[in-house]
Amino acid sequence: MSTQLVKASEELSVRIGMDRQAMLDTFKAQCFRNAASVSDAQLSAFVSIARDMGVNPLLPGMLYAYPTSGGGIVPMM
């Protein structure tokens, strides 16, 4: 797991009030279409965007991630 993902996810988990690993697992399951294929880079981008925007992706309609063919994501609110 990248250091950027760890740092961003720690900050966001404190704000949301969830355990960091539980939050990451929940993001994968709820905010991506195919949780099994989500890379650390994609999850890192998603967590960083959510943190920077100050949103809780677990709230309905807040933030979703659509993986691109090149390995990135397109975030949608």
Side-chain angles (χ1 to χ4, degrees):
M1 190 173 297
S2 74
T3 56
Q4 180 182 355
L5 176 55
V6 171
K7 182 179 176 185
S9 62
E10 285 175 353
E11 290 175 18
L12 188 57
S13 69
V14 167
R15 191 166 45 80
I16 291 175
M18 286 183 76
D19 172 74
R20 185 181 64 82
Q21 190 58 53
M23 180 192 72
L24 293 174
D25 293 341
T26 303
F27 284 175
K28 281 185 176 184
Q30 296 295 316
C31 303
F32 288 85
R33 288 186 181 193
N34 186 358
S37 68
V38 176
S39 70
D40 280 349
Q42 290 169 318
L43 187 58
S44 179
F46 181 75
V47 168
S48 293
I49 291 166
R51 181 198 60 195
D52 291 349
M53 293 180 72
V55 298
N56 179 347
L58 300 177
L59 296 174
M62 278 303 230
L63 187 64
Y64 299 96
Y66 294 93
T68 65
S69 60
I73 64 164
V74 175
M76 296 285 182
M77 286 191 80

